[in-house]
Amino acid sequence: MNPTHFFIFSLGPVQSFIAQARKAQDLYLGCRMISDYCRCAAFAFQQTGGQIIFPKIQSESLTNRFVGIITLANQDAGKQIGESIAQTVQNRFVEEGLAAIRAGLGGNINPEDIIGMREQLEAHLQTYWVFSPYDSQNYAASYQEAERVFGMSKHLRTPKVLTYQGAGGGYNMFATDFLGETGRKCLVDGELNVKVYRWSDQDSNRHQNNPQELMRHKLFFTNRQEVVLVGNQSDTGPFASIEQVPPKFIQDGEGLSAISFFKRCYLPDGIDYGGMKNSPDHWNVKPYNTDIFWQGVEVSTTAKIALLDVLTKAKASEQFGSAFSRLESFIHHSRPSNFDKKYPNYRAEDEELYFEENLTEAYFRKYIFDPRKLDEIRTAHQGFKTALSRQGIQLQPYYALVALDVDGLGKHLQKLDTQQAHEETASKLHKFATAVGELIGSEKGELLHAGGDDFLLMINLYGLFNTLNQIQQKWSELATGLSYSAAVLISHYKSPLTRAVKTVKAELKAVKTRFKDANKNGVSFCFMAKSGAVSTCHFKQDKLTLLNELFEALQARKYSPKFIFQFARNMEEMGFHGETSSEEQETLRAFALSELRRLLVRARDTQEVSKEAAAMFGNQFAALLTEQVRDGGNLLDLSNFVQFLKMAELAAKHTNQWQEGTFK
């Protein structure tokens, strides 16, 4: 009887690839590509007779790895299967990348004719896999050994390097075995050379519409065959006219590598194209270069997420309806008259036009709007803004980026003593991912990734706390025996998305570290201003209700937010920092709580809140104060407590309060 083995497979890069995003479209498609290519590997494994035990590959979003079992005749059979699966995924990435890039450039350019295009695609994907003996009688021990071997294997790979720019590529100053790339780097990933560049008006003026001048002085290339230029300034090199390449793929003045352009043009799996949904060759029948491709994937912009409550509720409102409809109509028809002909099936709307700061001639010219329609849009915008202000509603520019991650999942899986328990955990995580997807819907935000054990969401601030509470309830209902940590970043819609993603991921890691000895289950709540300044606080998830209560009280103006800044000033003047003993901490906490109660009583709306109610509300912060210790309990961290109060104030400041009867 042939022995059974565990098979563990993963692919990368993951975090850096996802975070390399200028637009929500980049972020969403980066997540989907990781999921789709992991699923492709899982399907290939199943075709060899393997069985997937974790995760559920039916989930729309997956992590970058899976675990399966398979019966092997010998070691050579395992090696052949592993190499075949890795090659299947690698071949798909390269071939689909070339197909998507060709379609994105209008179908008239062969990407393989561009020096370095195929090489960038071939060097990107990293795959790791191992086989390890399976023992049903000692399941936990054999699985732990499989994970140990897999962890070692990830350190035994030599990174791929690009060598195509050697002396043979026209760069005679380099040796033939020159490693790396020289030239203008991609605006999204910042690592690889630009392979597709779109002319801007500034380029045309500065370089006299001369592609060779642009190549030398901006892109720093000497070989014209290394880059496709998109614009009206054609020459004998690779060229695509602007009518062939819509702005959703590449904007004016933007230079993208093969990887970043592929991401922009990617069509996600998920539709049963030609009955091949469960096949690793599924991508072959994707409709690249058809109307479906040109319409692309609809992903809400950060501006739309920030405005989602207004855009949704204003349409149904008798007070705002006419003013909103007028502005919406003007924005929808703000493109030049020949826009639909140049960019068929391209979405005409741009939610950033709802913000007054973007109603400028410079913005209109940069993003291909008709400047002659600027005055009528400004007039309609002012009418809509006035109608909103009468009800105390504003066009809020902030949204929330939320990352969730299950705590200690790897260790939990290694403790499970049966395959059935492993599969049950996968099933529960699949149910949770499905529930979160249904919960977010289209009115609360955008679900960017839901892998079961990790999530990335964009949420409108109006529904933020309610959504976080509902996610907690869904998780509790599953009774997994696990917890999850969360990072919430309130960010301006114009803040660089790459920085927002990196910040929320870093904060998720930080809160796990802070509560690593207390079963984690923490929340990092952050605010990133338009200037880029970030403030943050960490707390346990059971304090999320308290933050919500303070947020609602401040939003309803039951308390003046001035008490927060007065409390912070008083604590700073008292010198509440540095190392302290447990007895000193108790005294300091008692004083801080007393001062907080006193300030709440003074800051209350006397018509709405009694003195006793304000004092009782202050007492609710006692447990939170007790948790404000760091460095093994030697440091009283009152600054984190103050930031907790400030987060509620900032959230209240940038969230609309829709009163009952405001819309019908």
Side-chain angles (χ1 to χ4, degrees):
M1 183 176 179
N2 294 328
T4 302
H5 286 71
F6 280 110
F7 177 69
I8 304 179
F9 178 93
S10 78
L11 56 83
V14 179
Q15 298 301 335
S16 60
F17 179 66
I18 292 174
Q20 291 164 351
R22 294 193 72 205
K23 305 192 295 184
Q25 174 187 343
D26 297 336
L27 192 57
Y28 173 76
L29 291 177
C31 293
R32 286 304 306 266
M33 287 177 77
I34 296 295
S35 295
D36 292 348
Y37 279 85
C38 182
R39 186 179 291 105
C40 172
F43 286 153
F45 177 65
Q46 286 181 325
Q47 288 190 342
T48 66
Q51 175 188 351
I52 307 296
I53 61 175
F54 190 89
K56 285 280 188 181
I57 60 172
Q58 291 84 0
S59 299
E60 183 174 336
S61 294
L62 296 176
T63 59
N64 68 313
R65 54 169 278 162
F66 67 85
V67 180
I69 56 173
I70 190 171
T71 300
L72 297 176
N74 50 57
Q75 290 185 350
D76 288 340
K79 182 179 180 181
Q80 183 177 0
I81 290 173
E83 290 177 346
S84 173
I85 293 171
Q87 196 60 50
T88 295
V89 177
Q90 176 70 21
N91 288 346
R92 171 182 166 174
F93 186 84
V94 174
E95 297 306 320
E96 184 174 12
L98 292 171
I101 291 170
R102 181 169 190 152
L105 293 173
N108 298 321
I109 294 176
N110 184 359
E112 297 207 60
D113 293 338
I114 311 304
I115 296 174
M117 189 79 82
R118 172 179 275 273
E119 286 82 353
Q120 286 187 354
L121 292 169
E122 289 177 339
H124 175 75
L125 210 60
Q126 304 164 8
T127 57
Y128 308 91
W129 55 270
V130 296
F131 287 96
S132 184
Y134 171 95
D135 185 349
S136 60
Q137 300 302 314
N138 297 287
Y139 182 84
S142 60
Y143 178 70
Q144 290 170 15
E145 176 63 12
E147 287 286 3
R148 187 189 69 82
V149 175
F150 179 73
M152 292 173 57
S153 72
K154 297 185 74 172
H155 298 285
L156 300 178
R157 291 291 183 91
T158 302
K160 300 174 184 177
V161 293
L162 296 168
T163 62
Y164 68 87
Q165 278 189 332
Y171 291 81
N172 295 320
M173 71 287 292
F174 301 139
T176 55
D177 58 350
F178 172 77
L179 303 181
E181 294 179 304
T182 183
R184 173 70 68 178
K185 299 305 177 186
C186 172
L187 199 57
V188 173
D189 62 52
E191 299 171 358
L192 298 172
N193 273 10
V194 166
K195 291 300 165 190
V196 183
Y197 183 83
R198 189 184 188 107
W199 282 83
S200 66
D201 290 340
Q202 186 180 36
D203 293 328
S204 299
N205 296 331
R206 182 173 297 175
H207 303 294
Q208 294 81 46
N209 293 327
N210 186 334
Q212 294 300 328
E213 287 290 311
L214 179 73
M215 291 287 292
R216 283 195 299 269
H217 298 297
K218 184 163 187 176
L219 303 182
F220 311 125
F221 296 138
T222 61
N223 192 333
R224 179 65 181 85
Q225 292 299 122
E226 284 199 48
V227 63
V228 179
L229 295 181
V230 180
N232 293 322
Q233 300 78 14
S234 62
D235 64 354
T236 57
F239 165 79
S241 68
I242 59 173
E243 289 80 5
Q244 296 174 306
V245 187
K248 67 181 175 183
F249 293 152
I250 186 168
Q251 296 178 346
D252 287 358
E254 198 172 38
L256 301 178
S257 66
I259 304 301
S260 296
F261 194 71
F262 175 25
K263 188 194 293 187
R264 287 273 176 90
C265 301
Y266 182 68
L267 275 179
D269 294 352
I271 301 174
D272 194 6
Y273 302 118
M276 297 179 64
K277 186 174 180 180
N278 295 328
S279 166
D281 297 325
H282 166 71
W283 78 269
N284 277 323
V285 289
K286 283 188 182 180
Y288 287 109
N289 229 359
T290 67
D291 284 348
I292 294 176
F293 170 70
W294 290 110
Q295 291 169 4
V297 178
E298 280 293 329
V299 182
S300 298
T301 63
T302 53
K304 183 176 181 178
I305 297 297
L307 292 169
L308 204 52
D309 60 320
V310 173
L311 297 179
T312 301
K313 297 180 183 296
K315 288 182 179 179
S317 167
E318 292 182 1
Q319 292 105 321
F320 312 139
S322 59
F324 175 74
S325 297
R326 186 165 181 263
L327 175 59
E328 184 182 40
S329 177
F330 281 136
I331 289 177
H332 184 74
H333 296 94
S334 58
R335 299 290 189 179
S337 58
N338 63 344
F339 185 82
D340 289 339
K341 183 178 180 181
K342 283 187 175 182
Y343 310 113
N345 301 312
Y346 181 59
R347 185 170 177 267
E349 295 87 345
D350 181 353
E351 287 78 12
E352 292 196 13
L353 294 185
Y354 287 100
F355 292 106
E356 192 171 6
E357 62 187 344
N358 300 317
L359 300 182
T360 65
E361 187 171 338
Y363 185 93
F364 269 50
R365 293 192 182 281
K366 181 176 181 179
Y367 295 105
I368 321 178
F369 293 99
D370 189 347
R372 295 173 298 178
K373 300 179 181 180
L374 187 55
D375 288 339
E376 62 185 15
I377 293 178
R378 283 174 175 164
T379 302
H381 181 275
Q382 189 59 45
F384 181 54
K385 186 177 178 182
T386 300
L388 289 174
S389 63
R390 292 195 187 106
Q391 302 295 331
I393 304 300
Q394 297 179 356
L395 296 166
Q396 300 287 1
Y398 286 86
Y399 71 99
L401 185 65
V402 180
L404 311 175
D405 188 70
V406 176
D407 299 321
L409 179 61
K411 292 181 179 179
H412 175 78
L413 294 177
Q414 292 186 34
K415 293 178 182 178
L416 300 178
D417 54 6
T418 65
Q419 179 182 329
Q420 181 182 358
H422 216 137
E423 292 173 341
E424 287 176 354
T425 301
S427 179
K428 288 181 178 180
L429 293 178
H430 171 65
K431 290 179 181 178
F432 182 58
T434 302
V436 171
E438 294 173 350
L439 184 63
I440 299 302
S442 59
E443 293 188 357
K444 295 181 180 179
E446 188 83 47
L447 178 64
L448 299 172
H449 178 70
D453 65 329
D454 65 325
F455 298 79
L456 192 61
L457 323 167
M458 292 195 302
I459 302 176
N460 178 264
L461 294 186
Y462 176 68
L464 175 61
F465 285 102
N466 183 46
T467 302
L468 294 176
N469 288 330
Q470 288 179 318
I471 290 174
Q472 280 185 329
Q473 292 173 10
K474 295 294 183 183
W475 181 256
S476 299
E477 291 169 4
L478 291 173
T480 60
L482 294 163
S483 64
Y484 68 85
S485 295
V488 181
L489 176 68
I490 297 178
S491 176
H492 194 277
Y493 78 94
K494 279 197 171 183
S495 295
L497 196 54
T498 296
R499 182 155 188 257
V501 174
K502 289 182 178 178
T503 299
V504 79
K505 292 290 186 179
E507 286 299 328
L508 185 60
K509 184 177 180 180
V511 75
K512 283 175 173 284
T513 301
R514 179 170 181 129
F515 297 120
K516 63 181 178 181
D517 297 326
N519 298 320
K520 298 181 182 177
N521 196 30
V523 176
S524 176
F525 209 95
C526 326
F527 182 86
M528 184 161 68
K530 186 178 180 180
S531 64
V534 178
S535 52
T536 183
C537 69
H538 300 154
F539 53 90
K540 300 290 283 185
Q541 277 205 44
D542 59 354
K543 303 302 183 296
L544 190 61
T545 301
L546 179 60
L547 184 67
N548 187 20
E549 290 179 6
L550 180 57
F551 158 78
E552 290 179 345
L554 291 170
Q555 193 180 44
R557 298 184 180 179
K558 293 181 178 180
Y559 299 93
S560 167
K562 291 181 180 179
F563 86 88
I564 298 173
F565 304 99
Q566 186 62 50
F567 178 80
R569 188 180 302 113
N570 292 351
M571 296 301 101
E572 182 68 25
E573 291 176 355
M574 292 294 294
F576 278 22
H577 53 79
E579 293 190 7
T580 53
S581 64
S582 57
E583 293 79 9
E584 290 172 327
Q585 288 179 14
E586 191 62 35
T587 301
L588 294 174
R589 276 196 292 267
F591 177 81
L593 185 61
S594 176
E595 182 66 5
L596 182 63
R597 284 197 301 263
R598 182 183 73 85
L599 292 173
L600 278 169
V601 170
R602 289 183 57 187
R604 79 189 194 283
D605 181 343
T606 56
Q607 301 297 317
E608 294 286 336
V609 184
S610 68
K611 183 177 180 180
E612 293 74 17
M616 289 179 62
F617 185 46
N619 287 333
Q620 294 184 41
F621 291 86
L624 180 64
L625 271 168
T626 303
E627 295 176 0
Q628 305 309 306
V629 290
R630 277 176 26 198
D631 298 343
N634 296 321
L635 181 66
L636 181 61
D637 190 8
L638 271 181
S639 62
N640 186 69
F641 180 80
V642 171
Q643 287 298 327
F644 180 92
L645 304 178
K646 288 184 177 179
M647 289 301 111
E649 186 271 332
L650 287 167
K653 180 180 178 181
H654 296 290
T655 304
N656 285 317
Q657 185 180 22
W658 293 88
Q659 301 289 350
E660 186 176 352
T662 299
F663 65 98
K664 299 179 181 180

